[in-house]
Amino acid sequence: MSVFAERHRAYYFHGNFRESIRATPNWGDEDAADVNRAAIDWIRRHADQENWYLHLTYWEPHTDYTQPVEWTDRMAASGPVQAWPDADTIADHAEIYGPRGALDLNYSLRGDGRSPVPHNMPEAIASRADFEHLINGFDGAIAYWDHHFGQLLAVLEELGIAEETAIIVSADHGESLGENGSYAEHGLANEPAHRLPLVFYWPGVTDELPAAGRRNDALLYNIDYAPTVCELVGLPKPAGWQGESFAAAVRGESIESREYLVLGHGAHTYQRAVRTRDHLYIRTYHPGCFRAEWGQLFDVTADPHLTEDLLDAQPELLAAMRSRRAEWWNTYAGRPGALPDPMQTTLQTGPTYYNDPVTYARHLRETGRAHLAEDLEGRLRNYANPVSWHAPDQPRTVALVQRWAELAQAAAQRSLDRPEPASAHASD
């Protein structure tokens, strides 16, 4: 029950689902109440059946934070927000340009740069007050989702199936809230964008675990989720799957962690990162419209907000992290039968679906930041080098949005044109 595939141009997401349900005509950002309406109806119709699987996509707390203002006010009254970033750090972030940067929090190709939900999101992050406003909106969105998720669980209780229904909560990405100068976004291969929630409730497996068995800090991939569910329901892992089951951890047992993960981002920037137990190395292949350094190295354990770049200070660690990145690439993209690396084959154009560097550089100049426009253009100085072939360089975002608007308008017109049903009259 999701429009994730359409929203992300990933129609393979629907593969192997027997049905796909849209809660609304929207192509994303459905309200939790609308998702619940469709989900609860489906559950009531299938509650007496065995062995069903229901996937729900809630958009909260994804930007824009659109919940009613009372949820934001409630979180603002609940206590202070985190101390980082302080006022000096926020001031420094004015020099880190990019969509969803401090001064361009609401910049997009289609908008006017103003907050679409000013009661939940400020116009920009220019002060601690602005940051607190943003965090209260973010937390309010979480609280709003939590309320509606509670309604869903209450229906399981009402129907008498709560004790025989496994419930798993996760996400497709996290959210940067100041790290690397990015706010309310997941446009980088950094720690906050890739550190995801994962909560398992599995009747007969997790409900009586001791406290020590309820948490696990092994390094996991999202692709490990499907093999885990397969093992827990007694199905073999299909051949060709690269993910590894962590069902033992769900059962409260210790598991061996991966030595490292390789993380990637290809929508707003082109980046890959190596994450070990304590460190994160980020390599930028294309900065998009963001002030992304070509390489950065952080001690995530000691510096969770990624404030101190260790790239020059620890050359041996840097070499080890680069070696792991090369090992990963050679394993999955450097052997017979491997498909071309899409991040390499589209470097000529870069990430153009959401933002355009030429348009954004013009925006920087129009807002008195010519020096930052020059910095961006300098990072992309090889952007226009002619080559014999490359991927299509025309972003489709505007055309797709226009097409979706036309479809919505046509649907609305059909609704208006539909004749009213004839009134029933008693016969003489």
Side-chain angles (χ1 to χ4, degrees), residues 146-216:
D146 185 69
H147 168 76
H148 287 86
F149 187 62
Q151 291 180 340
L152 192 74
L153 300 186
V155 170
L156 299 180
E157 292 281 357
E158 173 199 333
L159 296 173
I161 60 174
E163 298 305 316
E164 56 188 78
T165 303
I167 300 167
I168 305 166
V169 177
S170 189
D172 58 330
H173 60 77
E175 202 91 303
S176 290
L177 295 169
E179 294 84 0
N180 301 115
S182 179
Y183 291 85
E185 189 55 280
H186 51 282
L188 303 167
N190 64 0
E191 179 71 7
H194 287 269
R195 188 177 180 89
L196 311 183
L198 181 61
V199 181
F200 266 72
Y201 166 71
W202 202 286
V205 177
T206 64
D207 36 10
E208 296 184 1
L209 290 179
R214 292 185 175 276
R215 297 179 65 87
N216 191 288

Side-chain angles (χ1 to χ4, degrees), residues 12-83:
Y12 51 81
F13 175 83
H14 288 314
N16 294 327
F17 282 102
R18 293 184 177 179
E19 61 179 314
S20 175
I21 299 173
R22 296 182 61 146
T24 73
N26 298 345
W27 61 282
D29 298 330
E30 299 97 333
D31 189 280
D34 293 323
V35 175
N36 266 13
R37 188 178 303 112
I40 291 171
D41 171 70
W42 192 94
I43 290 172
R44 289 190 185 281
R45 289 186 286 109
H46 294 80
D48 61 347
Q49 299 179 13
E50 298 291 336
N51 301 327
W52 49 263
Y53 179 95
L54 176 63
H55 176 100
L56 302 176
T57 292
Y58 291 94
W59 291 96
E60 293 89 0
H62 198 288
T63 53
D64 303 314
Y65 309 141
T66 58
Q67 73 278 359
V69 68
E70 55 264 28
W71 293 91
T72 302
D73 292 342
R74 184 181 302 179
M75 299 312 296
S78 68
V81 306
Q82 66 215 49

Side-chain angles (χ1 to χ4, degrees), residues 226-227 230-231 233-239 241:
C230 283
E231 180 176 342
V233 299
L235 295 174
K237 184 179 80 169
W241 282 16

Side-chain angles (χ1 to χ4, degrees), residues 9 27 108-111 352-356 359 394-406:
R9 309 175 186 96
W27 61 282
S108 74
L109 286 173
R110 305 184 303 276
T352 59
Y353 276 116
Y354 295 103
N355 292 289
D356 170 58
T359 303
Q394 294 300 318
R396 299 179 59 226
T397 301
V398 174
L400 287 171
V401 170
Q402 178 63 32
R403 179 57 179 156
W404 286 319
E406 291 170 357

Side-chain angles (χ1 to χ4, degrees), residues 299-359:
D299 184 333
V300 183
T301 302
D303 179 25
H305 297 301
L306 314 180
T307 62
E308 184 181 0
D309 188 351
L310 305 176
L311 195 76
D312 296 328
Q314 297 202 29
E316 292 184 1
L317 176 61
L318 174 62
M321 299 294 269
R322 285 174 168 168
S323 176
R324 291 184 172 104
R325 176 175 58 90
E327 177 184 51
W328 175 88
W329 192 93
N330 287 325
T331 298
Y332 296 106
R335 293 182 177 180
L339 295 174
D341 180 353
M343 202 171 286
Q344 296 288 328
T345 59
T346 59
L347 272 179
Q348 186 72 15
T349 55
T352 59
Y353 276 116
Y354 295 103
N355 292 289
D356 170 58
V358 174
T359 303

